[in-house]
Each structure stands twice: as structure tokens, then as C-alpha cells.
Amino acid sequence: MVTASAPGKVILFGEHAVVYGEPAIAAAIDKRIFVSIEGRSDDEIIITSSHELRDGYPYVKAAAELTFEYLGNRQGLDISIDAEFPPASGLGSSAAVSVATILATATLLGREVGLKDLARLGHQVEKRVQGSASITDSSVTTFGGVLFIKPRLEITEKIKTANIPLVVGYTGKGGSTKELVNNVRMLRDSYPEVVDPIIHTIGGITLAAKKTLKEEEDIGGLMNINHGLLEALGVGTARLSQYVYSARKAGALGAKITGAGGGGCMIAYVPQNQDEVVSVIEGLGGLAMKVSIESEGARIERG
Ligand code: PMV
């Protein structure tokens, strides 16, 4: 049996603006998805999971198929999945499970896949299943660490920084990324002269944050401005804002929506008193997790 794992992610800065070519910063978190694979004597692919994943297992199936195509070799597989964070919550479960499946399948078949190929294949899986996908999630889950995303060039750059202690607050229900991206597009179509500067300013926040992160300074203020502009784009919800403001009151130096919004998750930057922020979010009915930045991306655990 081979077990591979890959981490989830948060977007620290630049979601939505990245769709229009602005840079973004995303980070791998120390919560992983584990994929264990054993060969079968027939040619079926049987998948079981500790969590119910989005719409069955389209990512896992597509990832196994794509790996077979890539290697020019196929075999029946028993695949079991275990997750340390909730799927379909905006924390990158789809990319993590895809990349871990590719890595485990290739390893079981006795082949090595370099990280660049792994990220590329992971991105292809997301595109096959979703129709389109940015490189953010597949890159972060493959390489780990904090990544500066340049969408126009489809490249990422690792930012060396100190750990960023975060608390993630999950509302219990993810928003639809496709719908929210579409809503922002409609808002932009209605008021281009108003919305374009907001998108560009979010890009400016991301650039400022890159510098702040490298100098290991406080990113809280920039997170708060970014949150305000995401609200301006219409992707906030009352509940997310409730978590954001309560987290700040409980000691977070900054807090914002992370990912597509409309539900899903927020993040709070909390160098001290993480427990207080966790209990405040839980008191409001959310699922709160202390997370750190994970420097390692996809890896083989056993096998
Ligand atoms: O909620 P998530 O993790 O799917 O993030 C979506 C991020 C967007 O910028 C809104 C869309 C994208 O593809 O980058």
C-alpha cells in the first residue's frame, strides 16, 4: 500500500482580483488530505472516504485516469481518503486530493513524478472536472509554503517568511466559487469604472503584503483593507463579517474572507491568544481551526 498526502490552502491576499490578472498570495496549511492506494487484481477503481467529498469522487477518478494516461500504464485500485479539514469549504480539498492521488498512483506503479509535473497534472485534473481552474490550489498543495501567484504568466514564486499563525473560521457551508466569480463579473460589467479600480487596488494590497511578509512584519492591517474591498465586491456575508469583527475584537491583528466568500471561510491573523479567537468563532456557531503555514507540499507518507 502507498499513502501520499497533500496540504490544504488559504488565500492570504488577492482572491477575485486574481481572476482579472492581479497577483495573489496563497499559503499551504498544516491540515492534509491522505490518499492510500492498493492494487487490485481486476481493473476497477473503488474509492472510500472518511468524509463525503463533493459530488462523489470526480477528482479522485480523474486524477487516477490522468496518471494512467501520463504513465501509459493502468491497473485496478482500491483508494481510501482521509481528510484533516472539511471538503468543499474553500480550503483546497479538490486540488489536495487530486495531487495526492496522482502521487500515490504513480508511486504504486513504481514511477517517480517531479513536483513540476505533479502541479501541472493536478491543474489538469481540476480543469477536466470543473471546466476551468486557476493554478493557485494545485501549485500550493504541490509545493507547500507561501506562494506569490502571477496569473498572467501562470507562474508562482515561493515567498520566504516566518510562520504566520492563523485561525480559520468555517461557516459550515461553502459558497459556490463559480457563482461568486460570476457575480463579481456582473458587478464589473455594470460599473467598470468603479469596480476596476477596486480590483487593481486589491492587486496593490497583494504587492504590499509580499514586501511585508518578506520583512516578517504585521500583515493584519493589509488583511483588513483587503476584507473591506472583498465586501465592496459583494462576496461577503453577515456571518463572515460577524466572525471577522469578533476575531479582531478578541485579539486578531487582522481578519478577512479567504477564498471565494459567500459563506466558506475567513482567516484571522493571530500571533497571540489564538484560543480566544477560536472560542469566539465557535461561540458564534462556526468551526474554528488553529493553522500554521506548512512548508512541505505533497509527499509520500508510506510506501
Ligand atoms: O474559495 P476558493 O478556494 O475556491 O477560492 C476562489 C478564489 C477566486 O479568486 C475567487 C477564484 C480563483 O479561481 O482564483
Side-chain angles (χ1 to χ4, degrees):
M1 185 172 77
V2 173
T3 302
S5 76
K9 69 100 201 358
V10 291
I11 297 180
L12 295 173
F13 295 96
E15 49 275 269
H16 287 289
V18 73
V19 173
Y20 301 93
E22 298 293 341
I25 298 175
I29 56 173
D30 60 348
K31 303 277 177 248
R32 290 181 168 262
I33 290 192
F34 298 84
V35 175
S36 299
I37 303 193
E38 267 181 300
R40 291 175 61 90
S41 49
D42 57 22
D43 60 2
E44 291 206 43
I45 295 180
I46 307 291
I47 304 162
T48 50
S49 170
S50 61
H51 282 65
E52 199 185 315
L53 292 168
R54 204 190 297 225
D55 309 328
Y57 308 97
Y59 293 91
V60 181
K61 282 186 192 138
E65 285 300 335
L66 191 71
T67 312
F68 294 150
E69 287 167 30
Y70 174 74
L71 300 176
N73 192 0
R74 64 183 302 124
Q75 81 158 102
L77 303 173
D78 276 321
I79 303 180
S80 74
I81 298 151
D82 220 342
E84 290 178 336
F85 61 95
S89 57
L91 297 177
S93 62
S94 309
V97 83
S98 301
V99 164
T101 301
I102 296 164
L103 183 58
T105 305
T107 307
L108 186 81
L109 296 179
R111 302 279 288 272
E112 274 189 28
V113 195
L115 287 186
K116 269 197 179 155
D117 273 357
L118 192 55
R120 187 176 54 76
L121 292 168
H123 185 216
Q124 259 173 277
V125 171
E126 289 208 289
K127 280 203 286 196
R128 267 193 198 181
V129 178
Q130 293 162 201
S132 71
S134 80
I135 57 165
T136 309
D137 289 17
S138 47
S139 302
V140 174
T141 197
T142 302
F143 299 112
V146 180
L147 296 188
F148 184 73
I149 321 282
K150 298 180 195 170
R152 287 197 208 281
L153 303 173
E154 289 220 331
I155 55 172
T156 61
E157 172 192 331
K158 232 178 202 186
I159 303 177
K160 282 212 174 74
T161 177
N163 187 29
I164 307 168
L166 297 170
V167 172
V168 174
Y170 177 41
T171 56
K173 199 171 174 297
S176 154
T177 301
K178 200 171 170 181
E179 215 171 279
L180 288 147
V181 167
N182 204 30
N183 291 349
V184 173
R185 191 170 298 280
M186 288 193 296
L187 193 69
R188 182 173 178 255
D189 288 346
S190 303
Y191 311 105
E193 66 287 5
V194 175
V195 174
D196 275 337
I198 296 176
I199 287 169
H200 187 61
T201 302
I202 294 178
I205 295 170
T206 302
L207 289 174
K210 184 186 182 196
K211 191 162 171 281
T212 308
L213 280 169
K214 277 186 170 168
E215 288 163 4
E216 298 182 13
E217 284 173 4
D218 175 4
I219 53 168
L222 290 168
M223 284 173 73
N224 292 342
I225 305 172
N226 196 162
H227 179 74
L229 294 180
L230 286 167
E231 287 262 271
L233 292 179
V235 301
T237 66
R239 178 163 300 192
L240 281 169
S241 277
Q242 202 184 18
Y243 294 3
V244 162
Y245 285 101
S246 308
R248 290 180 197 163
K249 203 169 162 206
L253 300 185
K256 65 180 274 291
I257 291 165
T258 186
C265 292
M266 50 73 72
I267 48 172
Y269 171 54
V270 199
Q272 269 155 17
N273 300 334
Q274 289 203 325
D275 288 336
E276 272 174 48
V277 174
V278 166
S279 71
V280 153
I281 292 171
E282 283 177 347
L284 293 166
L287 173 75
M289 284 177 284
K290 289 190 242 182
V291 309
S292 304
I293 303 305
E294 168 68 56
S295 59
E296 219 183 325
R299 67 182 180 218
I300 294 294
E301 301 282 344
R302 268 187 305 277

